[in-house]
């Protein structure tokens, strides 16, 4: 657990672009809103890995948001049902369902459709929010955390020292306290 926190701190302080980190987090949110185990989820997962989104943050945010996503499923179900029962889209959904591979995406599942719609709508606002949060962290919190008494004490712990030595090549605020 300590290694994970150290890696997150190193990532936020790394030379990775704030845009890449924010895109990874927003993409993780979108994937978390979709139930896994269908072709749509897999296609989006691989699509995001073809972008410049930060893969570590994508996986981390996916795990974080996936743990709370079931709380949103009733709302996603309602959104998906509303979309799937729109008379104007009935012909398109019928054609998709009769296509050879499209049913494997489970687009006709109300939670999948609701998760896709909500995730697509939330992607840009969450990207912008995460971008601001990363910038605020880097500008205001990183130096405070590095110079805090708690960090000074943590740096003296043998476990933290060994983690810091292991990560010394990556740089960051957990450098050697000699």
């Amino acid at each position: 657990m300590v290694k994970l926190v150290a890696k997150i701190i190193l990532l936020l302080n790394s030379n990775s672009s704030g845009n890449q980190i924010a895109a990874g987090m927003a993409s993780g949110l979108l994937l978390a809103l979709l139930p896994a185990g269908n072709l749509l989820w897999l296609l989006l997962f691989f699509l995001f890995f073809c972008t410049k989104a930060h893969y570590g943050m994508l996986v981390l945010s996916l795990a974080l948001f996936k743990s709370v996503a079931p709380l949103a499923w009733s709302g996603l179900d309602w959104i998906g049902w509303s979309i799937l029962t729109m008379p104007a889209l009935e012909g398109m959904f019928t054609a998709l369902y009769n296509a050879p591979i499209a049913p494997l995406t489970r687009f006709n599942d109300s939670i999948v459709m609701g998760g896709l719609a909500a995730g697509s709508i939330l992607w840009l606002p969450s990207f912008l929010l995460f971008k601001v949060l990363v910038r605020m962290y880097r500008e205001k919190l990183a130096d405070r955390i590095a110079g805090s008494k708690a960090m000074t004490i943590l740096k003296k712990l043998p476990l933290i020292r060994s983690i810091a030595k292991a990560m010394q090549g990556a740089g960051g605020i957990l450098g050697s306290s000699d």
Side-chain angles (χ1 to χ4, degrees):
M1 182 65 173
V2 174
K3 286 184 181 182
L4 177 63
V5 172
K7 285 181 181 182
I8 292 169
I9 291 172
L10 286 174
L11 170 67
L12 290 172
N13 290 313
S14 71
N15 288 332
S16 294
S17 162
N19 288 342
Q20 291 173 330
I21 293 171
M25 294 176 78
S27 300
L29 173 64
L30 190 152
L31 286 173
L33 292 176
L34 285 171
N38 60 67
L39 187 58
L40 178 63
W41 194 94
L42 287 172
L43 288 173
L44 287 173
F45 183 78
F46 289 119
L47 176 72
F48 290 138
F49 275 87
C50 293
T51 66
K52 289 193 174 222
H54 195 280
Y55 309 135
M57 276 312 233
L58 186 149
V59 172
L60 180 68
S61 65
L62 171 61
L64 178 73
F65 292 128
K66 198 64 152 172
S67 65
V68 295
L71 299 174
W73 282 356
S74 63
L76 297 177
D77 183 46
W78 181 83
I79 292 169
W81 182 256
S82 299
I83 294 170
L84 289 170
T85 57
M86 292 176 102
L89 299 176
E90 184 177 328
M92 181 185 72
F93 289 141
T94 301
L96 275 174
Y97 191 76
N98 291 326
I101 296 178
L104 298 176
T105 64
R106 289 186 39 210
F107 74 89
N108 58 332
D109 183 324
S110 58
I111 296 177
V112 171
M113 182 57 72
L116 179 62
S120 298
I121 290 169
L122 290 174
W123 194 93
L124 183 60
S126 63
F127 168 77
L128 295 172
L129 173 66
F130 293 136
K131 184 177 173 180
V132 167
L133 291 175
V134 168
R135 186 173 353 122
M136 283 176 39
Y137 168 80
R138 286 179 174 178
E139 290 174 359
K140 298 184 189 235
L141 290 177
D143 292 335
R144 286 184 183 173
I145 290 173
S148 70
K149 290 180 184 178
M151 190 56 70
T152 305
I153 292 170
L154 279 175
K155 286 180 185 179
K156 293 179 181 179
L157 295 175
L159 175 64
I160 302 299
R161 275 191 168 165
S162 62
I163 292 171
K165 285 179 184 177
M167 298 179 149
Q168 191 171 12
I173 65 172
L174 292 176
S176 168
S177 62
D178 297 82

